[in-house]
Structure formats: C-alpha cells, structure tokens
Amino acid sequence: MIYPISFTQNKDNKTKTSILYMNDFHAKLPNLERLYTASQAFDTYETSADKLKLSSGDDGLGEDPKINKAVSKLLNMIGIQKRQPGNHEFDVTPGIRAEIAQGANYQNLGGVNMHIRQGSAMSSMLVNSAIQEVNGNKYGIIGVGPSDMDLHLKAGETKSDITVDDIDQTIINLQQEIDKLKAQKLDKIILLSHSGYANDKKIAQQTRGIDIIIGGHSHHLLEDIKEGKNLFYNLDGEPVIITQAGKDGEYFGILNVEFDSNGVITRAQNNVTPTKGFNRSLQAKYVVESIIGKPEHVGVINSAPPTPANRLIENNPHGNFMVDAMRTELGTDIALLNSANIRGYFEKGNIDSRKISEITPFKNKMVIVKLSEKDIVDAIKLGGKSFKAPGKKPGIVMVSGLRYTMNTNGELLKLEYIDSKGKASPIDINNPNPNRFFRTAMDDFYARGGNDMEMLNKFDQAEQVFDFDKDKLACDYIKKQNGPIDITDDKRINIVKA
C-alpha cells in the first residue's frame, strides 16, 4: 500500500510539507521493522514537498537495554529527525538512557517542560526546541512531555532525576519558546507532544503560533481532518492540526500540509495507515536479532479469546495467564499485577520468548512480599477508581489466587481468596484483617508503590527479589504444561453494571 501525496510542482510560492509521524510504538519491534519498509517507500515517492520524519514518543518500553537499543537503531534506520521522549523512554536507568541518546541520529526535545537534575547522566539529553531545514525552508520544532510522568515512573534514580510541569505551566513555557522561534522569523511551528489528546486540545486553543501538534500518550486514533476533532484554531484564529496514530505501532501517519507565504496552513491531508500493510524488512529484522538475539520456542497455544477492548478496566484472560505464572512459579499464595503492564496477547499457534516479552515487556524484577488483607483490599479499591478516571488510569488490579466483583462505578462488592486446592474463602471488604498476611508475588514497580499504590510499597521488606521479570516465569510455566494451551476466561474479575 502506498499513501497518496497530492501535491504537484510548487509554482505558487506556497510551502508543501509531508510528515511521516509515529507515536506509542511501545517497542513492538515487528511493527518498527514494517515502518522501516514504509519509510523507504516514503523516501522514494517523488514529490515537491519538504519531507519530515517525527516521533512523539514511547517508541521504546521497559527496562531491557538491548530492546531499547534496538528501538533506537530502528529509529535511526527509519530516519527520524526529531523525537519527543515519552514516559516509557525513561523506563531504563539514566545511564542507559544517556548511552542510547548518544547513539541516536535524532534530537530529543522536551526541555520546555521536562526538567532533569543537574549531575544526572541524562542532564544534557533534552533541548527545548530545534530548527529543521528542508529545501531551504525552516521549521521550528518544539517538544513537551507528559505532565503525569510521575505516575508512570518506578521509584528510584530516574524518578528523583526528572520533574515535569503541569499543563498550565507547560502552556506558559511553551508560548515563551514559540515566541523565541518567531523572533527568528520562523513561521512554521510543529509541536511534538507526549501530553495526551485532552492537553493537546488545550495547547492548540490557548497558544499562538503552533501549526501542527504531533501527539501521543493517550493512544487516540485521529483519522482524516475533522474540525472539532483534530482541527482547532489558536488564539489568533489560525488552524492547528493534531495527529495521533493509536498505540503499539498498529498505525503510523502521513500528514500533508500546504502553508501560505505567512506560514498559515491552507490545505491538509491526513493519512493514517496500518503498519501491517507493509512487510517486515529483513534488513531491519537482522539488525534487531544482532542486538537482542533470536527468540526461543517455548510451546503452542491451542486457543485464545479476543483481547479486551480496554485492558485497563476489563477482566483480561491473557493477563490472567501471566499472573497465574507468577504465583505458580514463585510458589506464593497470591499474585498481583497492574493491568497496564499487559501490552499484548496470546494467539493460536507457536509461541516464543519474544512474543511473551511483547505481552509483558517492562523487564521489572519479581519480588515476594507479605501483604495484609487490608493492603490487598485497599489496592483493589484504588484500582477501581480507574473507571471514573481520565484515560481509565491507572487500571484495575489483576490477580491470581483471588477473585473479586466490582461495579462500573469502581466499587468493590465482593472479594475471595482461592487457595491452591481451589477452595474459596471470603475476605471482608469493609473490615479487612490487618493481621492476616499472604505471601504475594509482584514486580518491583508495584512493590515500590507504582501507580500511587503506596499500600503495596513493601520493597524494602521483601522476602526475596529476583533478577528477572514475569516473561521468564511465563516461559517456564508454558514449558511445564502437557501439550497445547488454552487461554480461557474464568471471570475471576467480574465487572457488573452499577
């Protein structure tokens, strides 16, 4: 599939620009390999338009240095020129993040509202803005990061090294940076934003000078150009176009625009394209395997249900399988996992270690801690608040060795402990016992109080800490099964209408 570029030879003193954009690929390496193929087609398609390649972040994901290095190498191959790092670019340690940045051919933006502690390995990583010149035309490109960054970072070195302004202060800082670029006679301004759709709409309507917002973070799929959806007007009444291409690299975009002599957009075309319409590049696949190695075959999936429409607030059989692997392989009473940790799904057919790593890609460390009934009830109730929260974040708590019922207002109605023999015993959700404890398998994101789960912040009291994540446990668990596996929905989290 080749996306159309509708511009003809420039004879009218207007600037025609074509932007290949991406967001929230979340280290889905096969889709990055496909995007490399698409980028080659973009490069060879003849047009008089200026060409830009931009990313608004979360290209990588998780703590694995090799995977993140492979992602950065693919961004270099694709030809990304400017990138706004997302929250998941900071999953890795500051030292690895700085090392990856040094090997990048693209510039990392975000200094407008992301502040990195002086002395950190990342302190020189971000710039406020940059100028990209194409065919003699200059584009001012600015970046802003997510104001809810703190919610997504695991406690530790990175969290103490970086702060991000709220949206109101971000808009103030952003306008100041725009004005600096305008003072340099730059009249075509592009914002790379990992701030989310709701904030991007505020930015579009509460600033002057921005023409295009390449968005991300909230995983919206903004197709075509529609007024009130992704076409807005700034404080001067000039058009601002917002893009976003979903999540997990399922789509990417080509935005074609035409600027008049004053740098105002007069025509636009937004093509959002499925990456699966392009073949995986063998060259890109070779580069990936040279960095992270070949995957190991671990078993066969006989059947699996569809993935839930919203993994944050639905029972997820694919995630349940992973949590069961945690509890079984570590021999604990129960296991807990944040629903946002699950980033993929099982499919019928052969399953290998890389596919499992894509399902749960963060590369946290597994831990065993003791949690009281009260800790567990408080955590599940806090997860229930996701039903009413913007973006359904942080998501409900996934469980093994437990079963609960919750309504669509996020109210916990019933909770049971299921022992190793399958026997259920109720837990009093109104008066949970603070002196009854369960050996619990978690990752160190939860065990350090991630997602505001302070009641789970027991890392310093951990019985055991392991130097591997749940993907290894799932591989081991699958290898021990007798024959092909059926991924089934046991309704352990029952969501009922309020």
Side-chain angles (χ1 to χ4, degrees), residues 339-465:
S339 52
N341 191 282
I342 302 300
R343 296 304 178 102
Y345 52 89
F346 291 95
E347 296 177 283
K348 183 177 180 179
N350 293 326
I351 185 79
D352 62 35
S353 56
R354 187 168 302 163
K355 177 63 177 177
I356 292 173
S357 290
E358 287 182 1
I359 293 172
T360 175
F362 287 90
K363 297 297 182 184
N364 301 128
K365 295 182 185 297
M366 295 306 305
V367 301
I368 297 175
V369 300
K370 286 186 177 180
L371 295 180
S372 70
E373 278 190 2
K374 186 177 188 312
D375 295 329
I376 295 164
V377 170
D378 288 348
I380 293 173
K381 285 183 175 179
L382 181 59
K385 292 184 178 180
S386 302
F387 284 92
K388 299 293 185 180
K392 308 302 181 186
K393 295 178 180 179
I396 59 176
V397 179
M398 303 186 66
V399 297
S400 180
L402 297 169
R403 183 167 60 209
Y404 68 87
T405 300
M406 180 174 282
N407 66 26
T408 50
N409 284 333
E411 297 166 329
L412 181 62
L413 305 178
K414 182 180 179 181
L415 175 64
E416 296 175 301
Y417 166 59
I418 313 298
D419 68 19
S420 59
K421 297 180 180 179
K423 182 181 178 181
S425 57
I427 293 175
D428 188 339
I429 59 175
N430 297 312
N431 296 289
N433 187 347
N435 298 311
R436 183 189 182 194
F437 293 91
F438 297 84
R439 292 181 72 245
T440 305
M442 295 192 294
D443 60 32
D444 65 338
F445 176 77
Y446 250 4
R448 294 179 186 273
N451 277 353
D452 288 339
M453 292 284 184
E454 280 302 316
M455 72 292 292
L456 303 181
N457 191 353
K458 312 288 184 182
F459 186 82
D460 292 340
Q461 305 162 36
E463 175 185 314
Q464 203 165 355
V465 179

Side-chain angles (χ1 to χ4, degrees), residues 65 80 108 113 135 144 156 159 296 301 330 403 448 489:
I80 296 298
N108 286 300
N113 73 335
N135 297 326
V144 296
K159 194 163 188 172
E296 175 193 7
I301 304 299
L330 295 183
R403 183 167 60 209
R448 294 179 186 273
D489 186 356

Side-chain angles (χ1 to χ4, degrees), residues 186-451:
L186 289 161
D187 58 8
K188 292 177 281 293
I189 307 293
I190 300 170
L191 174 66
L192 304 184
S193 169
H194 201 80
S195 193
Y197 178 59
N199 286 337
D200 288 344
K201 288 193 291 182
K202 288 182 181 179
I203 290 170
Q205 297 173 94
Q206 296 180 22
T207 58
R208 291 181 169 87
I210 296 173
D211 299 293
I212 298 166
I213 300 176
I214 306 294
H217 193 45
S218 57
H219 306 165
H220 283 73
L221 186 64
L222 302 178
E223 300 178 281
D224 304 320
I225 302 285
K226 296 178 182 177
E227 193 167 14
K229 180 182 178 183
N230 61 346
L231 172 60
F232 297 90
Y233 299 91
N234 66 18
L235 292 175
D236 291 327
E238 296 175 351
V240 183
I241 295 170
I242 300 175
T243 73
Q244 243 195 98
K247 61 178 175 62
D248 296 336
E250 295 169 349
Y251 298 88
F252 69 97
I254 303 289
L255 176 66
N256 301 316
V257 297
E258 184 176 82
F259 295 93
D260 67 15
S261 58
N262 295 315
V264 177
I265 294 174
T266 56
R267 294 174 60 203
Q269 176 193 56
N270 182 36
N271 303 303
V272 179
T273 303
T275 54
K276 285 193 174 180
F278 296 85
N279 293 325
R280 294 173 64 183
S281 161
L282 292 178
Q283 180 185 355
K285 184 178 178 182
Y286 172 80
V287 168
V288 168
E289 290 186 349
S290 71
I291 296 172
I292 68 176
K294 291 182 177 294
E296 175 193 7
H297 173 79
V298 295
V300 176
I301 304 299
N302 182 57
S303 65
T307 186
N310 191 329
R311 70 184 189 279
L312 295 179
I313 55 169
E314 295 183 46
N315 186 53
N316 185 346
H318 306 270
N320 292 344
F321 185 89
M322 303 299 291
V323 190
D324 285 346
M326 292 164 54
R327 179 177 61 86
T328 302
E329 292 300 307
L330 295 183
T332 57
D333 300 319
I334 66 171
L336 304 181
L337 179 64
N338 61 310
S339 52
N341 191 282
I342 302 300
R343 296 304 178 102
Y345 52 89
F346 291 95
E347 296 177 283
K348 183 177 180 179
N350 293 326
I351 185 79
D352 62 35
S353 56
R354 187 168 302 163
K355 177 63 177 177
I356 292 173
S357 290
E358 287 182 1
I359 293 172
T360 175
F362 287 90
K363 297 297 182 184
N364 301 128
K365 295 182 185 297
M366 295 306 305
V367 301
I368 297 175
V369 300
K370 286 186 177 180
L371 295 180
S372 70
E373 278 190 2
K374 186 177 188 312
D375 295 329
I376 295 164
V377 170
D378 288 348
I380 293 173
K381 285 183 175 179
L382 181 59
K385 292 184 178 180
S386 302
F387 284 92
K388 299 293 185 180
K392 308 302 181 186
K393 295 178 180 179
I396 59 176
V397 179
M398 303 186 66
V399 297
S400 180
L402 297 169
R403 183 167 60 209
Y404 68 87
T405 300
M406 180 174 282
N407 66 26
T408 50
N409 284 333
E411 297 166 329
L412 181 62
L413 305 178
K414 182 180 179 181
L415 175 64
E416 296 175 301
Y417 166 59
I418 313 298
D419 68 19
S420 59
K421 297 180 180 179
K423 182 181 178 181
S425 57
I427 293 175
D428 188 339
I429 59 175
N430 297 312
N431 296 289
N433 187 347
N435 298 311
R436 183 189 182 194
F437 293 91
F438 297 84
R439 292 181 72 245
T440 305
M442 295 192 294
D443 60 32
D444 65 338
F445 176 77
Y446 250 4
R448 294 179 186 273
N451 277 353

